[in-house]
Each structure stands twice: as structure tokens, then as C-alpha cells.
Amino acid sequence: MDPVAQARRMARPLRGSQDLDEVLARTSSARYVLIGEASHGTSEFYTWRAELTKRLIAEQRFSFVAVEGDWPDCHQLHCCVVGAPGVANDPAAVLWEFKRWPRWMWANEEVVDFARWLRGFNASRTRPVGFHGLDVYSLWDSLHAVLAYLRAHEPDRADAALQAYRCFEPYTDPQEYAFATRIVPETCEQDVVHMLTELRLSFDENSLPGLEPAFVAWQNAEVVAGAER
């Protein structure tokens, strides 16, 4: 069949939330739903993505949102939408602090509206729905976060993170490090692996809620490992 004709046959109009019923019917038994990013920067796409996500959460009990964003920045938004103490009450105040990848992808009105809805939805729940970033580009921010955690909670293990930090220190960004590994045989891989090993020794990962400082530090260390790869 001609691809254009096939697309026209399968297409459905989007006029209101009820038009998503067919999508919801297909996801009723799914463990994960991958919405994707069809277009960066259009209000319409972000609005429909938010509407679909709301229904997945409210009607099919999905427990977290994972996005194309940095773990450290998105964790601050996670803290806000789950009502963690010491964090701004309005998600807009958190989103406007996003500094990377690129900022306008998340610091926009549509995401603010969704985050405010999620915070309100979580207010009456014993197990709130989370919001997490999956990207591995926050090499320096994540290294700083791991160092800060270890210095405060596990000072005897901080040397491992400091060694990894010093290995990356000659490079201004991950891309520069990547180019250097094509010429210089030594890499930072072993330092990062050692840092991860030290962190994993310090807690039981099966018993950690999403706000536990050790869990957050471990995720930042995983980001560093992913960035190094």
C-alpha cells in the first residue's frame, strides 16, 4: 500500500481528550508507554503529550514520567511535584532554573501546566507519581552532586569520586573528552567504575524511596558512567 494512503487510513483527528480513547485502549496492558518526541518546540505537541500522560497516570496508574532531560535538574522538579520539603511550591520556579538540554524544551508553559497538575494529583496519594530525567549529558553537575553527597554522608568514600573528578578535570565538556580518547589510550573508565562500586557498597538499593539522598547520588553516578561511555 502507498505509505501516504496508509497514513491517511490510519490517521485519527485530535479535537478533545476523548479522541485519545483509542490510544488508551491499546496501552491498557502495557508496562511502559513510549510517547516519543515528534516535534521539538511546538505548543500543540507538548499540550497533547501532557494530555495523554495525564490520562495514563490517572486512568491506568502509571507511576512515573521519564523524559529526555538531565537527572539533576529533573530531580528538582520531581521533588517539587511530590511535595518534598524545602522545595518551591510552584513547579514554574523549578523549571525556570533548568540550565541545559536545551532549556526551552522543559521551561515552557505547557510543561509548567502539566507539572502543576501532577503536583495536585500527588497531593492526595500515598505513593506519588515521579518525574525523572534519563539523559547522560550532565557529567559535571552529576559529579559535583556525588562529591557533595559523599563529603556529607560517606566522607571515607569521597576519594573515589574525587579521583574520577580529577580524571575529567582537564576537559571542558564530555565531547572534548571523547575526542581525546581517540588519541590518548588512558581513559577515566576505571575511576568511574571504582566510584560506582564505592557507592553501591554504601546502601541497599532495594529499600530506597525516590527521595533518599543515597539513591539520588547513585543515579548521578550512573549518569557519569553513561556519559563516560
Side-chain angles (χ1 to χ4, degrees):
M1 179 183 290
D2 174 62
V4 175
Q6 187 176 14
R8 285 174 175 163
R9 180 178 63 83
M10 297 177 65
R12 299 290 183 272
L14 281 176
R15 302 187 185 92
S17 182
Q18 70 279 0
D19 293 321
L20 294 171
D21 289 350
E22 186 172 338
V23 178
L24 271 293
R26 296 187 181 193
T27 61
S28 59
S29 61
R31 189 175 180 189
Y32 306 103
V33 175
L34 310 184
I35 297 177
E37 182 70 85
S39 172
H40 283 319
T42 64
S43 175
E44 292 81 4
F45 182 85
Y46 289 172
T47 299
W48 281 110
R49 180 180 66 184
E51 194 61 36
L52 175 56
T53 306
K54 289 178 188 177
R55 292 194 60 183
L56 289 169
I57 291 169
E59 298 173 30
Q60 297 187 355
R61 306 178 75 177
F62 280 85
S63 58
F64 69 92
V65 179
V67 304
E68 183 185 6
D70 291 337
W71 170 267
D73 284 345
C74 289
H75 182 66
Q76 291 303 306
L77 185 60
H78 170 74
C79 291
C80 177
V81 299
V82 301
V87 182
N89 292 328
D90 187 356
V94 179
L95 284 162
W96 300 156
E97 293 299 316
F98 273 38
K99 298 177 177 65
R100 281 187 22 82
W101 192 237
R103 183 180 183 186
W104 52 263
M105 279 180 59
W106 302 114
N108 59 66
E109 293 176 0
E110 292 75 21
V111 176
V112 168
D113 289 343
F114 169 74
R116 286 171 175 163
W117 175 88
L118 186 57
R119 181 179 168 90
F121 179 84
N122 281 334
S124 59
R125 292 174 58 87
T126 55
R127 294 195 64 180
V129 175
F131 189 101
H132 306 293
L134 297 182
D135 272 345
V136 294
Y137 297 103
S138 59
L139 173 64
W140 289 110
D141 287 347
S142 290
L143 267 173
H144 291 156
V146 172
L147 268 172
Y149 167 78
L150 289 174
R151 283 170 172 164
H153 301 278
E154 302 274 348
D156 293 341
R157 302 184 189 274
D159 284 347
L162 191 58
Q163 191 167 336
Y165 181 91
R166 286 172 176 162
C167 185
F168 286 111
E169 199 168 21
Y171 310 102
T172 56
D173 57 50
Q175 288 82 6
E176 187 177 332
Y177 167 74
F179 283 120
T181 60
R182 299 169 64 184
I183 304 169
V184 181
E186 293 84 6
T187 71
C188 300
E189 181 180 7
Q190 289 305 311
D191 293 319
V192 171
V193 169
H194 182 52
M195 179 180 69
L196 276 172
T197 303
E198 288 294 301
L199 272 172
R200 285 171 175 159
L201 288 172
S202 66
F203 62 88
D204 175 10
E205 64 190 70
N206 294 317
S207 64
L208 295 175
L211 295 175
E212 170 63 41
F215 173 77
V216 177
W218 178 46
Q219 289 300 310
N220 274 305
E222 291 285 1
V223 168
V224 174
E228 193 282 330
R229 282 196 297 272

